[in-house]
Amino acid sequence: MAQVELSPGVHVVIGGDFPKCNTLVLISDEVVVVDPGCSVEALRRMLHSQDLELRDVDSVILSHIHPDHITHAVRLNRLSKCRIVANEITAPLFNEKEKMKEFLGFHKGQPARKSWEKLVNDRMYGALDAGRVDEALSDGEKYNVGDLTLQVLYTPGHLPDHMCLEILEPRLIFGADLDLTEFGPFYGHRNSSIDEFKDSIRLVQQRNYEGLISGHLEKPLVVNYRSALTAYSRQFDLRDDLVLSAVMGGAGSIDELTLSPIIYPTIPSPVILQFEIWMIEHHVKGLIAKGFVEEKKGRLEPI
Ligand SMILES: [Zn+2]
Protein backbone atom coordinates (compact mmCIF):
# COMPACT_ATOMS: atom_id res chain seq x y z
CA MET A 1 0.00 0.00 0.00
CA ALA A 2 1.83 3.08 -1.22
CA GLN A 3 -1.02 5.54 -0.86
CA VAL A 4 -4.45 5.80 0.72
CA GLU A 5 -7.37 8.21 0.30
CA LEU A 6 -8.89 8.92 3.72
CA SER A 7 -11.75 11.05 2.46
CA PRO A 8 -12.39 13.05 -0.72
CA GLY A 9 -9.29 15.14 -1.35
CA VAL A 10 -7.36 13.84 1.67
CA HIS A 11 -4.59 11.43 0.65
CA VAL A 12 -1.59 9.95 2.43
CA VAL A 13 1.50 8.70 0.58
CA ILE A 14 3.10 6.06 2.79
CA GLY A 15 6.72 6.78 3.67
CA GLY A 16 7.89 3.20 3.96
CA ASP A 17 11.38 2.25 5.17
CA PHE A 18 13.03 4.31 7.93
CA PRO A 19 13.46 7.23 7.99
CA LYS A 20 10.92 8.21 5.35
CA CYS A 21 7.78 9.81 6.68
CA ASN A 22 4.19 9.74 5.52
CA THR A 23 3.22 12.65 3.31
CA LEU A 24 -0.26 14.17 3.50
CA VAL A 25 -1.59 15.44 0.17
CA LEU A 26 -4.69 17.63 0.08
CA ILE A 27 -6.32 18.14 -3.29
CA SER A 28 -9.00 20.73 -3.79
CA ASP A 29 -8.73 23.91 -5.89
CA GLU A 30 -5.09 23.74 -4.80
CA VAL A 31 -2.62 20.93 -4.20
CA VAL A 32 -1.04 21.05 -0.76
CA VAL A 33 1.69 18.66 0.33
CA VAL A 34 2.36 18.34 4.06
CA ASP A 35 5.76 16.92 5.16
CA PRO A 36 7.26 15.86 1.82
CA GLY A 37 9.40 13.06 3.25
CA CYS A 38 8.03 10.08 1.31
CA SER A 39 9.89 8.97 -1.82
CA VAL A 40 9.52 11.39 -4.73
CA GLU A 41 8.45 8.50 -6.98
CA ALA A 42 5.63 7.53 -4.60
CA LEU A 43 4.47 11.17 -4.50
CA ARG A 44 4.64 11.39 -8.31
CA ARG A 45 2.57 8.19 -8.68
CA MET A 46 -0.04 9.45 -6.22
CA LEU A 47 -0.39 12.76 -8.07
CA HIS A 48 -0.56 10.93 -11.43
CA SER A 49 -3.47 8.88 -10.10
CA GLN A 50 -5.31 12.23 -9.76
CA ASP A 51 -4.16 13.50 -13.19
CA LEU A 52 -1.65 15.81 -11.52
CA GLU A 53 2.11 16.28 -11.76
CA LEU A 54 4.77 17.28 -9.23
CA ARG A 55 4.84 20.73 -10.89
CA ASP A 56 1.15 21.20 -9.96
CA VAL A 57 1.92 21.41 -6.23
CA ASP A 58 0.84 24.83 -4.91
CA SER A 59 2.03 24.70 -1.29
CA VAL A 60 4.27 22.61 0.92
CA ILE A 61 3.64 22.75 4.67
CA LEU A 62 6.24 21.52 7.18
CA SER A 63 5.22 20.19 10.62
CA HIS A 64 8.70 20.69 12.12
CA ILE A 65 12.36 20.91 11.14
CA HIS A 66 13.36 17.20 11.28
CA PRO A 67 15.05 16.25 7.99
CA ASP A 68 12.76 13.26 7.34
CA HIS A 69 9.78 15.67 7.25
CA ILE A 70 11.28 18.44 5.10
CA THR A 71 13.25 16.24 2.65
CA HIS A 72 11.86 17.33 -0.75
CA ALA A 73 10.53 20.80 0.15
CA VAL A 74 13.23 22.78 -1.65
CA ARG A 75 13.19 20.58 -4.76
CA LEU A 76 9.39 20.80 -5.04
CA ASN A 77 9.71 24.57 -4.70
CA ARG A 78 12.29 24.69 -7.51
CA LEU A 79 10.13 22.49 -9.72
CA SER A 80 6.67 23.95 -9.12
CA LYS A 81 7.41 27.36 -7.57
CA CYS A 82 5.14 26.23 -4.74
CA ARG A 83 4.94 28.23 -1.54
CA ILE A 84 6.79 26.79 1.45
CA VAL A 85 4.81 27.21 4.66
CA ALA A 86 6.00 26.44 8.20
CA ASN A 87 5.35 27.69 11.68
CA GLU A 88 7.18 30.72 13.03
CA ILE A 89 9.65 28.60 15.04
CA THR A 90 10.49 26.26 12.15
CA ALA A 91 10.78 29.01 9.51
CA PRO A 92 14.12 30.61 10.58
CA LEU A 93 15.63 27.13 11.05
CA PHE A 94 14.60 26.12 7.54
CA ASN A 95 15.98 29.38 6.12
CA GLU A 96 19.41 28.87 7.70
CA LYS A 97 20.43 25.24 7.81
CA GLU A 98 23.32 25.94 10.23
CA LYS A 99 20.69 27.23 12.68
CA MET A 100 18.76 23.99 12.09
CA LYS A 101 21.85 21.93 12.92
CA GLU A 102 22.46 23.94 16.10
CA PHE A 103 18.78 23.64 17.10
CA LEU A 104 19.08 19.86 16.77
CA GLY A 105 22.28 19.86 18.87
CA PHE A 106 24.69 19.20 16.02
CA HIS A 107 26.70 22.41 16.23
CA LYS A 108 30.17 22.65 14.71
CA GLY A 109 32.54 20.38 16.63
CA GLN A 110 29.76 18.20 18.07
CA PRO A 111 31.19 14.64 17.88
CA ALA A 112 28.20 13.06 16.07
CA ARG A 113 27.66 15.95 13.60
CA LYS A 114 29.48 14.36 10.64
CA SER A 115 27.73 11.03 11.16
CA TRP A 116 24.34 12.82 11.37
CA GLU A 117 25.06 14.81 8.17
CA LYS A 118 26.02 11.57 6.39
CA LEU A 119 22.79 9.90 7.53
CA VAL A 120 20.75 12.87 6.28
CA ASN A 121 22.55 12.98 2.92
CA ASP A 122 22.37 9.19 2.45
CA ARG A 123 18.73 8.73 3.48
CA MET A 124 17.04 12.16 3.32
CA TYR A 125 18.85 13.79 0.42
CA GLY A 126 17.62 17.34 -0.15
CA ALA A 127 16.83 18.12 3.49
CA LEU A 128 19.91 20.34 3.82
CA ASP A 129 19.35 22.25 0.55
CA ALA A 130 19.19 26.03 0.87
CA GLY A 131 15.66 27.40 0.65
CA ARG A 132 13.23 29.87 2.19
CA VAL A 133 9.87 29.70 3.89
CA ASP A 134 7.34 31.98 2.16
CA GLU A 135 4.73 32.07 4.89
CA ALA A 136 5.05 31.53 8.65
CA LEU A 137 2.02 30.33 10.63
CA SER A 138 1.39 30.72 14.35
CA ASP A 139 -0.51 28.53 16.81
CA GLY A 140 -4.23 28.37 16.02
CA GLU A 141 -3.83 29.98 12.60
CA LYS A 142 -5.97 28.68 9.76
CA TYR A 143 -4.81 27.83 6.23
CA ASN A 144 -7.47 27.36 3.57
CA VAL A 145 -7.15 24.85 0.75
CA GLY A 146 -10.29 25.23 -1.36
CA ASP A 147 -13.05 23.44 0.57
CA LEU A 148 -10.61 22.19 3.20
CA THR A 149 -9.39 24.24 6.15
CA LEU A 150 -6.25 23.41 8.09
CA GLN A 151 -5.53 24.75 11.57
CA VAL A 152 -2.17 24.84 13.33
CA LEU A 153 -1.93 23.12 16.72
CA TYR A 154 1.40 23.61 18.48
CA THR A 155 2.50 20.34 20.10
CA PRO A 156 6.05 20.80 21.47
CA GLY A 157 8.06 18.12 23.25
CA HIS A 158 9.33 15.96 20.40
CA LEU A 159 11.05 19.22 19.43
CA PRO A 160 10.13 22.79 20.48
CA ASP A 161 8.89 23.58 16.94
CA HIS A 162 6.65 20.52 16.47
CA MET A 163 3.09 21.20 15.35
CA CYS A 164 0.14 19.06 14.34
CA LEU A 165 -2.30 20.15 11.66
CA GLU A 166 -6.01 19.84 12.22
CA ILE A 167 -8.15 19.29 9.14
CA LEU A 168 -11.49 20.85 9.97
CA GLU A 169 -13.73 19.09 7.44
CA PRO A 170 -13.61 16.07 7.84
CA ARG A 171 -12.35 16.47 11.38
CA LEU A 172 -8.94 14.76 11.33
CA ILE A 173 -5.55 15.62 12.79
CA PHE A 174 -2.21 15.10 11.10
CA GLY A 175 -0.14 14.05 14.12
CA ALA A 176 3.31 14.15 12.42
CA ASP A 177 5.67 12.73 15.08
CA LEU A 178 2.92 12.11 17.58
CA ASP A 179 3.19 9.04 15.43
CA LEU A 180 1.90 6.14 17.59
CA THR A 181 4.69 3.81 16.45
CA GLU A 182 5.77 0.76 18.45
CA PHE A 183 9.08 2.53 19.15
CA GLY A 184 7.18 5.15 21.13
CA PRO A 185 7.83 8.87 21.55
CA PHE A 186 11.15 10.28 20.31
CA TYR A 187 12.74 13.14 22.26
CA GLY A 188 16.37 12.62 21.30
CA HIS A 189 17.62 16.21 21.36
CA ARG A 190 18.74 18.48 24.21
CA ASN A 191 15.80 20.83 23.55
CA SER A 192 13.22 18.03 23.44
CA SER A 193 11.08 17.74 26.58
CA ILE A 194 9.27 14.76 28.08
CA ASP A 195 6.93 17.01 30.11
CA GLU A 196 5.98 19.08 27.07
CA PHE A 197 5.53 15.90 25.00
CA LYS A 198 3.10 14.55 27.65
CA ASP A 199 1.19 17.87 27.68
CA SER A 200 0.93 17.78 23.87
CA ILE A 201 -0.40 14.21 23.95
CA ARG A 202 -3.03 15.25 26.53
CA LEU A 203 -3.98 18.27 24.40
CA VAL A 204 -4.67 16.03 21.38
CA GLN A 205 -6.54 13.50 23.54
CA GLN A 206 -8.86 16.22 24.82
CA ARG A 207 -9.91 17.15 21.30
CA ASN A 208 -12.45 15.41 19.19
CA TYR A 209 -11.37 14.02 15.83
CA GLU A 210 -12.55 11.26 13.56
CA GLY A 211 -8.99 10.01 13.58
CA LEU A 212 -5.30 10.83 13.85
CA ILE A 213 -3.03 10.55 10.82
CA SER A 214 0.38 9.24 11.90
CA GLY A 215 3.56 10.57 10.32
CA HIS A 216 5.13 7.12 10.32
CA LEU A 217 2.63 4.24 10.61
CA GLU A 218 2.15 2.09 7.53
CA LYS A 219 -1.60 2.19 8.21
CA PRO A 220 -1.67 5.92 8.90
CA LEU A 221 -5.24 6.53 10.11
CA VAL A 222 -5.78 5.71 13.80
CA VAL A 223 -9.45 6.05 14.73
CA ASN A 224 -9.05 5.04 18.39
CA TYR A 225 -6.27 7.61 18.80
CA ARG A 226 -7.12 8.45 22.43
CA SER A 227 -6.38 4.97 23.78
CA ALA A 228 -3.49 4.56 21.34
CA LEU A 229 -1.94 7.79 22.70
CA THR A 230 -2.35 6.50 26.27
CA ALA A 231 -0.46 3.32 25.37
CA TYR A 232 2.15 5.40 23.52
CA SER A 233 2.56 7.60 26.61
CA ARG A 234 3.29 4.57 28.79
CA GLN A 235 6.67 4.32 27.07
CA PHE A 236 7.82 7.31 29.13
CA ASP A 237 7.20 5.40 32.39
CA LEU A 238 8.62 2.16 31.05
CA ARG A 239 11.83 3.92 30.03
CA ASP A 240 11.95 5.70 33.44
CA ASP A 241 11.80 2.24 35.07
CA LEU A 242 14.55 0.90 32.80
CA VAL A 243 16.85 3.84 33.56
CA LEU A 244 16.10 3.62 37.30
CA SER A 245 16.82 -0.10 37.40
CA ALA A 246 20.13 0.47 35.58
CA VAL A 247 21.06 3.09 38.22
CA MET A 248 20.05 0.63 40.94
CA GLY A 249 22.26 -1.92 39.18
CA GLY A 250 25.27 0.36 39.63
CA ALA A 251 25.32 2.58 36.52
CA GLY A 252 26.45 5.91 38.00
CA SER A 253 26.84 8.14 34.94
CA ILE A 254 25.34 8.79 31.51
CA ASP A 255 28.38 7.01 29.97
CA GLU A 256 27.72 3.93 32.09
CA LEU A 257 23.98 4.08 31.39
CA THR A 258 24.65 4.01 27.65
CA LEU A 259 27.12 1.08 27.72
CA SER A 260 24.22 -1.17 26.77
CA PRO A 261 21.12 0.16 24.98
CA ILE A 262 18.01 1.11 26.97
CA ILE A 263 15.88 3.06 24.48
CA TYR A 264 17.02 1.66 21.11
CA PRO A 265 17.17 -2.08 20.45
CA THR A 266 20.75 -1.73 19.19
CA ILE A 267 23.17 1.17 18.74
CA PRO A 268 24.39 0.81 15.15
CA SER A 269 25.93 4.29 14.68
CA PRO A 270 27.27 7.37 16.50
CA VAL A 271 24.03 9.23 15.66
CA ILE A 272 21.82 6.64 17.32
CA LEU A 273 24.19 6.60 20.31
CA GLN A 274 23.80 10.39 20.52
CA PHE A 275 19.98 10.13 20.43
CA GLU A 276 20.16 7.40 23.11
CA ILE A 277 22.37 9.64 25.30
CA TRP A 278 20.08 12.68 24.95
CA MET A 279 16.95 10.63 25.68
CA ILE A 280 18.55 9.03 28.75
CA GLU A 281 19.66 12.47 29.96
CA HIS A 282 15.99 13.54 29.90
CA HIS A 283 15.03 10.51 31.99
CA VAL A 284 17.83 11.07 34.51
CA LYS A 285 16.76 14.71 34.89
CA GLY A 286 13.17 13.58 35.45
CA LEU A 287 14.14 10.87 37.95
CA ILE A 288 16.19 13.41 39.94
CA ALA A 289 13.26 15.89 39.90
CA LYS A 290 10.86 13.16 41.09
CA GLY A 291 13.23 12.17 43.91
CA PHE A 292 14.10 8.65 42.72
CA VAL A 293 17.74 9.38 41.92
CA GLU A 294 20.32 11.79 43.33
CA GLU A 295 23.76 12.92 42.28
CA LYS A 296 26.42 12.35 44.96
CA LYS A 297 30.02 13.33 44.29
CA GLY A 298 29.35 13.25 40.55
CA ARG A 299 27.78 9.75 40.67
CA LEU A 300 24.10 8.90 40.15
CA GLU A 301 22.61 6.91 43.01
CA PRO A 302 19.13 5.62 43.76
CA ILE A 303 17.38 7.19 46.76
ZN1 LIG B 1 10.48 14.59 14.12
Side-chain angles (χ1 to χ4, degrees):
M1 182 177 65
Q3 65 191 63
V4 57
E5 184 169 13
L6 302 180
S7 72
V10 180
H11 305 254
V12 179
V13 184
I14 308 303
D17 294 344
F18 173 82
K20 294 187 175 64
C21 83
N22 293 337
T23 296
L24 178 67
V25 183
L26 304 168
I27 300 173
S28 184
D29 302 337
E30 289 188 26
V31 179
V32 175
V33 172
V34 180
D35 282 4
C38 67
S39 88
V40 167
E41 274 316 296
L43 180 59
R44 191 198 307 273
R45 275 198 299 274
M46 185 267 130
L47 291 168
H48 272 183
S49 74
Q50 305 297 308
D51 293 324
L52 293 163
E53 305 283 346
L54 288 170
R55 65 172 175 271
D56 295 322
V57 172
D58 295 293
S59 304
V60 165
I61 306 181
L62 309 172
S63 65
H64 64 300
I65 199 63
H66 264 151
D68 57 326
H69 292 253
I70 68 171
T71 316
H72 308 302
V74 173
R75 271 130 210 273
L76 282 171
N77 167 264
R78 288 178 190 160
L79 187 67
S80 70
K81 303 283 172 267
C82 63
R83 300 167 64 69
I84 299 181
V85 181
N87 71 53
E88 58 201 351
I89 311 169
T90 306
L93 307 170
F94 186 86
N95 294 347
E96 271 188 63
K97 294 299 188 305
E98 188 56 40
K99 273 192 186 160
M100 164 200 183
K101 292 177 189 178
E102 287 168 7
F103 182 79
L104 296 174
F106 298 111
H107 52 80
K108 284 191 180 120
Q110 205 283 337
R113 175 175 161 123
K114 290 245 162 358
S115 168
W116 175 81
E117 286 174 336
K118 183 175 184 326
L119 174 73
V120 173
N121 283 327
D122 285 353
R123 307 293 296 271
M124 296 157 264
Y125 191 72
L128 299 176
D129 286 0
R132 279 201 78 75
V133 167
D134 298 289
E135 183 175 349
L137 302 172
S138 52
D139 193 20
E141 200 165 329
K142 288 182 177 166
Y143 191 85
N144 291 310
V145 187
D147 300 338
L148 299 165
T149 304
L150 297 173
Q151 189 160 16
V152 170
L153 182 68
Y154 275 17
T155 44
H158 171 76
L159 273 174
D161 71 323
H162 188 273
M163 70 174 184
C164 296
L165 276 173
E166 296 178 320
I167 305 168
L168 301 188
E169 324 85 23
R171 201 157 167 76
L172 296 166
I173 181 166
F174 180 68
D177 278 339
L178 267 71
D179 61 9
L180 299 172
T181 54
E182 282 293 312
F183 174 81
F186 174 90
Y187 35 91
H189 300 281
R190 280 251 159 87
N191 55 359
S192 304
S193 160
I194 292 175
D195 287 342
E196 286 182 358
F197 209 139
K198 287 178 176 172
D199 287 346
S200 291
I201 287 172
R202 275 192 286 271
L203 179 67
V204 172
Q205 282 180 314
Q206 284 160 6
R207 294 184 172 222
N208 200 20
Y209 307 108
E210 288 168 36
L212 178 147
I213 305 164
S214 161
H216 286 282
L217 286 180
E218 211 174 314
K219 290 182 181 169
L221 183 65
V222 181
V223 174
N224 59 344
Y225 65 94
R226 285 201 182 90
S227 58
L229 281 168
T230 298
Y232 185 68
S233 247
R234 286 200 192 102
Q235 290 284 342
F236 294 116
D237 296 335
L238 176 65
R239 291 165 179 173
D240 259 354
D241 289 348
L242 289 168
V243 173
L244 181 57
S245 79
V247 173
M248 290 169 85
S253 65
I254 298 294
D255 280 352
E256 289 172 16
L257 279 167
T258 49
L259 281 178
S260 52
I262 290 179
I263 309 282
Y264 282 89
T266 58
I267 308 285
S269 70
V271 181
I272 300 299
L273 175 61
Q274 189 59 70
F275 292 153
E276 175 94 2
I277 289 169
W278 280 331
M279 286 175 77
I280 295 218
E281 281 179 352
H282 288 299
H283 283 283
V284 167
K285 204 172 124 206
L287 288 168
I288 291 173
K290 285 183 249 180
F292 291 113
V293 168
E294 64 183 341
E295 210 168 351
K296 263 191 189 167
K297 294 178 189 165
R299 300 273 309 162
L300 299 169
E301 287 186 13
I303 293 175

